[in-house]
Amino acid sequence: MTGQTKYGYTLMTEQSGPREIVRYAAGAEQAGFDFEVMSDHYSPWLEEQGHAAYAWSMLGAVTQVTERVELMTYVTSPIMRYHPAVVAQKAATVQLLSGGRFTLGLGAGENLNEHVVGRGWPPANVRHEMFGEAVEIIRALLEGGYVNYAGSHFRVDSAKVWDLPEDRVPLGVAVSGDQSIEKFAPLADHLIAVEPEADLVQKWDSVVSGRPSRKIGQIPVCWDTDKDRAVERAHSQFRWFGGGWKVNAELPGPSGFAGATQFVRPEDVAGSIPCGPDVDAIVEAVAEFTKAGFTDVALVQIGDEGQEDFLAVAEKEILPALRAS
């Protein structure tokens, strides 16, 4: 796959139960996807999605039903719900279980998931300070040895990850602009973003100064043989997506997202998400990421129902069309 775009499948924990997630992971590898990413949530975005099992238990199971695909969290927040020292331990364990196929994707998180520990939701500048400290701690622990750390937000007292893979777990970080790139790119290996912005890729490359790195994007699609049914499902479960991450990071729960999206129409969703059986529409949408310089693009098939049908079509039509493009 050197020099070619890699195409991934999203294990969307907000829309499927844990047994289904593990089954889809095996199916996606069989269908020919290059990598799989898993969301790490405590709550779904909307009640219609209906799920939010523990990502790390599912990841452990996925390592045992797959052999080839790369695996990744997309993304884990290490600032409140998880202490960064524990995130490092989890990442090392999954890397060992997967035989070296895991990348730890990190982000500053959303109120939706982090408020559950009862510590409130800090403003964005404080969250970025916390995130910076957390990434430093995780990286140090994954490099081996005892770690002591005394920051403004986190302390670590003589911690050591005892079961480490031979090679350090790669780190990806979710970024949204120049400031976050300048702060976090020196600490990470790969870029993560959900908008096909060439400026992000160019800025990242300028900061890492030629160091090889992946640029990993994600795009929702709603494949279905019936376009109207696809639009209805996308509107029901994914109308929150158009709010943008500055808004999505602040809302406290599914009811907040329901209220914020109550006037979003099905045609609004269909205008931004490929819906229906048209494979060319999916290829065109994904091409926006490759044009922007992304090396990896993960597809989200919206809704739990029909995942097996989507995987069958991905194997026979979607993936060949993407690779031919």
Side-chain angles (χ1 to χ4, degrees):
M1 293 297 297
T2 302
Q4 298 181 11
T5 305
K6 292 185 178 182
Y7 298 106
Y9 174 78
T10 299
L11 299 163
M12 190 81 173
T13 62
E14 303 96 294
Q15 66 182 19
S16 300
R19 293 180 67 88
E20 290 72 27
I21 287 286
V22 176
R23 188 170 76 248
Y24 300 153
E29 179 174 79
Q30 184 175 351
F33 282 94
D34 302 307
F35 68 101
E36 299 177 10
V37 303
M38 183 180 289
S39 55
D40 186 353
H41 271 239
Y42 199 88
S43 300
W45 300 98
L46 294 164
E47 288 192 10
E48 289 90 337
Q49 292 178 311
H51 295 276
Y54 185 54
W56 292 87
S57 296
M58 291 183 280
L59 275 169
V62 167
T63 67
Q64 302 305 292
V65 299
T66 59
E67 298 178 351
R68 173 187 56 80
V69 288
E70 297 175 81
L71 303 172
M72 182 179 182
T73 48
Y74 203 98
V75 291
T76 291
S77 173
I79 69 170
M80 295 182 71
R81 186 165 44 113
Y82 305 137
H83 191 282
V86 178
V87 172
Q89 182 190 36
K90 295 191 288 191
T93 301
V94 171
Q95 184 71 309
L96 289 168
L97 286 169
S98 68
R101 293 183 284 131
F102 181 65
T103 295
L104 176 61
L106 297 168
E110 302 96 8
N111 194 4
L112 172 71
N113 303 301
E114 305 308 310
H115 79 272
V116 297
V117 295
R119 292 173 52 194
W121 185 234
N125 64 314
V126 176
R127 300 198 303 265
H128 284 175
E129 290 175 4
M130 297 172 73
F131 184 59
E133 290 188 9
V135 176
E136 289 176 356
I137 292 165
I138 291 166
R139 188 178 182 99
L141 284 165
L142 291 176
E143 288 176 349
Y146 285 94
V147 173
N148 293 282
Y149 189 94
S152 299
H153 303 282
F154 293 107
R155 296 186 67 88
V156 176
D157 180 16
S158 191
K160 177 181 176 178
V161 176
W162 286 88
D163 289 277
L164 281 174
E166 184 175 341
D167 297 322
R168 179 180 58 78
V169 178
L171 303 181
V173 293
V175 297
S176 57
D178 289 356
Q179 286 186 328
S180 57
I181 290 174
E182 289 172 359
K183 185 169 185 177
F184 303 128
L187 300 173
D189 303 291
H190 308 303
L191 174 150
I192 297 170
V194 294
E195 296 290 340
E197 297 180 6
D199 290 346
L200 283 179
V201 173
Q202 293 165 7
K203 178 65 176 179
W204 177 276
D205 283 339
S206 70
V207 171
V208 301
S209 301
R211 172 165 49 88
S213 62
R214 296 163 65 186
K215 290 82 178 179
I216 306 162
Q218 185 184 62
I219 182 170
V221 304
C222 196
W223 181 90
D224 198 295
T225 55
D226 185 301
K227 182 171 182 177
D228 291 339
R229 186 168 58 210
V231 171
E232 180 182 357
R233 186 166 71 245
H235 176 260
S236 172
Q237 298 201 23
F238 241 75
R239 62 187 184 273
W240 58 271
F241 189 75
W245 292 105
K246 287 187 178 180
V247 173
N248 291 347
E250 304 298 337
L251 295 175
S255 60
F257 282 92
T261 59
Q262 61 182 311
F263 299 116
V264 176
R265 303 169 301 172
E267 55 264 38
D268 298 327
V269 175
S272 59
I273 295 174
C275 294
D278 187 355
V279 171
D280 288 341
I282 295 174
V283 172
E284 290 173 9
V286 172
E288 295 302 311
F289 282 89
T290 56
K291 290 175 185 175
F294 282 77
T295 60
D296 304 67
V297 186
L299 277 61
V300 183
Q301 165 65 2
I302 297 172
D304 179 67
E305 64 275 24
Q307 287 289 330
E308 282 95 347
D309 292 338
F310 169 76
L311 291 174
V313 170
E315 180 178 9
K316 295 177 182 178
E317 299 181 36
I318 298 173
L319 288 171
L322 287 170
R323 290 177 177 134
S325 68

